[in-house]
Amino acid sequence: MTETSGNLALPIALTEVAKVGFEWEWDEEADEAHGCDFELYERFEAPERTAWWFRLWTGNEEVDGGEFRFFGATGAGDYVGFWLVRPAMPITEQPVVYLGSEGECGVIARDLGDLLWVFADGLGPAEAFADPGRETQTNEAFQVIAERYAPGRRRSAVEIVAGAQEEFPGFSEFVDAMCR
């Protein structure tokens, strides 16, 4: 793939998203969350760390997660990153996947441009995976970033997630086959 283990720098669009950041809070009285529980890493996770985590997550010492470049996580330990499945394509053109702490997984965006529009739609990766149609508020700061890096591609999070899952219907089975 085009991303080597020596280059762990995030794409510029993701560094801009990280500068804005995600807000999340738990409302004790209403017993509900507001915002998005997601934190971008400063750089891609090192391959050694990915291998350690992926072996733990799958229960399989024979895998190393080398087909992924993780760039963020939720407070619950869910991982988000690129799935390096499109040969010879830049990392920004690879699908974005979600691997939950409880074993759930799925494709949430066809590429970085689509992910930027998911963020602009007011969702983080966990929210896009669990309920892409939930009512949200547009995030204006993320909308500016999405318009800069993926102009003319605005769609709802529901359309983005559905399109990604339609293009990559076998992702869950691919991951399940690695689990022990």
Side-chain angles (χ1 to χ4, degrees):
M1 301 297 161
T2 58
E3 186 69 24
T4 65
S5 60
N7 180 9
L8 299 177
L10 292 179
I12 292 172
L14 284 179
T15 62
E16 289 187 25
V17 168
K19 286 178 187 172
V20 172
F22 291 84
E23 293 182 23
W24 185 86
E25 65 181 48
W26 182 259
D27 183 337
E28 296 274 338
E29 288 182 27
D31 196 29
E32 61 185 25
H34 299 283
C36 303
D37 176 17
F38 184 61
E39 184 176 339
L40 280 160
Y41 301 150
E42 291 181 14
R43 61 184 142 286
F44 286 113
E45 184 175 75
E48 307 79 40
R49 172 84 176 145
T50 295
W52 172 83
W53 178 85
F54 198 65
R55 288 174 180 143
L56 185 66
W57 192 82
T58 61
N60 184 350
E61 286 297 316
E62 298 174 17
V63 298
D64 66 4
E67 54 275 281
F68 302 105
R69 290 296 174 273
F70 294 113
F71 56 79
T74 69
D78 309 329
Y79 267 46
V80 178
F82 293 106
W83 177 28
L84 307 178
V85 69
R86 293 181 171 138
M89 296 295 287
I91 198 154
T92 57
E93 298 299 317
Q94 303 292 340
V96 178
V97 297
Y98 169 89
L99 283 81
S101 62
E102 301 298 318
E104 65 276 41
C105 63
V107 181
I108 57 171
R110 293 178 61 247
D111 58 23
L112 177 57
D114 277 356
L115 182 66
L116 295 174
W117 283 109
V118 167
F119 293 161
D121 208 22
L123 298 173
E127 295 81 13
F129 175 78
D131 186 8
R134 83 178 206 180
E135 193 171 317
T136 62
Q137 266 192 301
T138 300
N139 184 308
E140 292 179 19
F142 291 155
Q143 185 173 344
V144 168
I145 295 168
E147 287 173 348
R148 183 177 311 125
Y149 293 100
R153 294 184 50 192
R154 182 179 200 140
R155 292 175 295 147
S156 72
V158 169
E159 293 170 303
I160 290 169
V161 173
Q165 292 175 351
E166 182 178 307
E167 184 172 345
F168 301 99
F171 178 70
S172 292
E173 291 79 14
F174 168 76
V175 172
D176 288 347
M178 291 187 265
C179 294
R180 301 292 176 250

